[in-house]
Amino acid sequence: MPSTARVTPLTRRGLLAAGGALGLGAALVACGGDKDKGSAAADGKSGPWKFTDDRGKAVELKSVPKNIVAFVGTAAALHDYGVEVKGVFGPTTVKDPKTGQDKPDIQAGDLDVTKVKNLGNVWGTFNIEEYLKLEPELLVSAMWDKDVLWYLPPQSHDKIVKLAPTVALWAAKTTMPKALERHARLAASLGADLKAKSATDAKARFEKAAARLRAAAKARPEIRVMIGSASAELFYVSLAKTSADTAYFEELGVKFVTPKVNAQGYFEELSWENLDTYPADIIMMDNRSQAIQPADLKSKPTWNRLPAVKAGQVVPRFTEPIYSYAKCAPLLEDLATAIENAKKVA
């Protein structure tokens, strides 16, 4: 993933391709505890409003914010709880190769992208003038690097965060259940009803899916999974424990390939000639629009020779999950299915 850190030894291209398991070395802070629950009127229509984010920063407003701008994946999570935003930034639309028309990026989830102001669709862009026109009361984003809001351009990050109150929620060095809880708490503080049937059903489905994945991993301990992401020059193998989703899958018993990570500690870069370094029965491939997808790797002989590829055991990975129970439950279900049905090929 691209880094929004102001100074980083990682290249933009390497980060862009390497996927969400990078984490960028941020330490988890301010997770859990009563102070993080947020507060607002029960109907979400009057204040005062307070929320302590994952920087340990308490944001206090006179009333519940309505003019919200968010990173697109965070906006998609809030949308699943019934909380809508005015503007988004980050991968929101992508060109449909068949029609040439814009369509929602996978990170937009169920957002109606025609009804939100897109302030910056690609890395390094954020329209400050249009942002101010929205009269923002709150900006919300993920956090991969401590105190750095995801997808804000490095050159304007510090300026943007001074224009309106901000909330940051960890996307790294945490696990999926913690990230889900934090997003749910934020949504509740903004007026979401976590006792609504849709919300309780989604959480129940997630818990059932977690139990199923645990059972599948226990029943098939011989199955090894590799976390991959492809660029034209390199193939990245990520370390499971550095990303919220795969760290949780590992907690549930899924056995992952352990790469010899680089100095940053999050992934290993392999040349295409060395793609067979790690035997794997299942390959989880970064499904974001900036990563090369399996269907487009057929020209790579070493890819075609991998046992998991020959066996058709390549599955998508939602590298930057939308942290709502409704969106995360299918991720666990899909991986459970893949493990249950996998042949031992490595």
Side-chain angles (χ1 to χ4, degrees):
M1 89 194 77
S3 170
T4 55
R6 282 151 285 184
V7 179
T8 174
L10 300 177
T11 66
R12 173 183 177 272
R13 177 172 293 182
L15 289 169
L16 188 67
L22 306 188
L24 301 182
L28 179 63
V29 295
C31 260
D34 290 343
K35 70 176 183 177
D36 297 320
K37 290 182 179 178
S39 61
D43 61 5
K45 295 180 181 179
S46 60
W49 183 82
K50 180 179 179 179
F51 186 84
T52 302
D53 75 357
D54 288 352
R55 298 170 294 184
K57 180 179 179 180
V59 181
E60 300 184 49
L61 300 173
K62 292 181 179 180
S63 61
V64 178
K66 295 299 181 185
N67 291 351
I68 303 169
V69 171
F71 172 67
V72 62
T74 310
L78 292 175
H79 170 81
D80 285 351
Y81 289 109
V83 177
E84 304 299 344
V85 305
K86 299 290 186 181
V88 296
F89 55 94
T92 305
T93 61
V94 64
K95 291 289 184 184
D96 187 320
K98 295 181 179 179
T99 66
Q101 301 297 313
D102 285 343
K103 65 177 183 179
D105 189 276
I106 193 168
Q107 293 191 63
D110 292 331
L111 278 177
D112 185 342
V113 298
T114 67
K115 293 183 178 180
V116 292
K117 184 66 179 180
N118 188 341
L119 300 172
N121 197 57
V122 297
W123 171 245
T125 62
F126 187 99
N127 192 320
I128 294 178
E129 183 178 347
E130 292 299 321
Y131 177 55
L132 290 173
K133 287 180 181 178
L134 295 175
E135 299 181 350
E137 298 172 271
L138 184 70
L139 183 145
V140 187
S141 189
M143 185 168 61
W144 295 85
D145 193 15
K146 190 175 186 300
D147 297 332
V148 179
L149 274 68
W150 182 234
Y151 241 87
L152 294 186
Q155 66 273 18
S156 55
H157 177 280
D158 289 352
K159 180 178 180 179
I160 294 168
V161 299
K162 293 177 181 178
L163 298 176
T166 61
V167 161
L169 298 178
W170 276 117
K173 299 300 181 180
T174 185
T175 65
M176 183 174 277
K178 291 178 181 178
L180 284 165
E181 180 186 16
R182 296 293 288 144
H183 284 73
R185 286 183 177 182
L186 176 60
S189 78
L190 295 170
D193 180 6
L194 300 187
K195 295 181 180 179
K197 188 176 186 301
S198 59
T200 58
D201 284 354
K203 188 172 183 179
R205 179 182 175 185
F206 176 83
E207 292 170 348
K208 182 178 180 181
R212 179 184 168 193
L213 180 55
R214 186 187 297 276
K218 184 177 181 180
R220 303 295 307 279
E222 76 279 12
I223 299 298
R224 291 294 182 274
V225 181
M226 181 165 68
I227 308 164
S229 186
S231 72
E233 297 86 5
L234 296 168
F235 187 88
Y236 299 84
V237 181
S238 294
L239 189 63
K241 69 179 182 180
T242 56
S243 191
D245 60 333
T246 49
Y248 183 51
F249 301 159
E250 196 167 48
E251 284 183 13
L252 294 175
V254 177
K255 302 298 190 299
F256 286 99
V257 164
T258 304
K260 296 177 181 178
V261 296
N262 61 17
Q264 285 73 37
Y266 303 101
F267 62 93
E268 179 179 1
E269 305 106 324
L270 296 177
S271 67
W272 284 99
E273 290 76 15
N274 294 318
L275 195 57
D276 60 355
T277 299
Y278 298 106
D281 304 292
I282 296 172
I283 304 175
M284 296 179 69
M285 288 293 290
D286 184 354
N287 70 348
R288 295 174 302 167
S289 56
Q290 61 261 46
I292 299 177
Q293 298 305 302
D296 299 316
L297 293 175
K298 296 178 181 179
S299 63
K300 302 286 188 181
T302 50
W303 170 259
N304 294 322
R305 289 198 294 267
L306 292 178
V309 175
K310 288 183 177 180
Q313 294 175 179
V314 179
V315 299
R317 178 197 175 204
F318 208 116
T319 304
E320 292 184 51
I322 294 171
Y323 285 115
S324 71
Y325 291 103
K327 291 297 185 293
C328 286
L331 307 185
L332 275 68
E333 293 166 348
D334 291 347
L335 182 55
T337 297
I339 293 173
E340 290 163 354
N341 297 332
K343 298 177 182 177
K344 180 63 181 175
V345 296

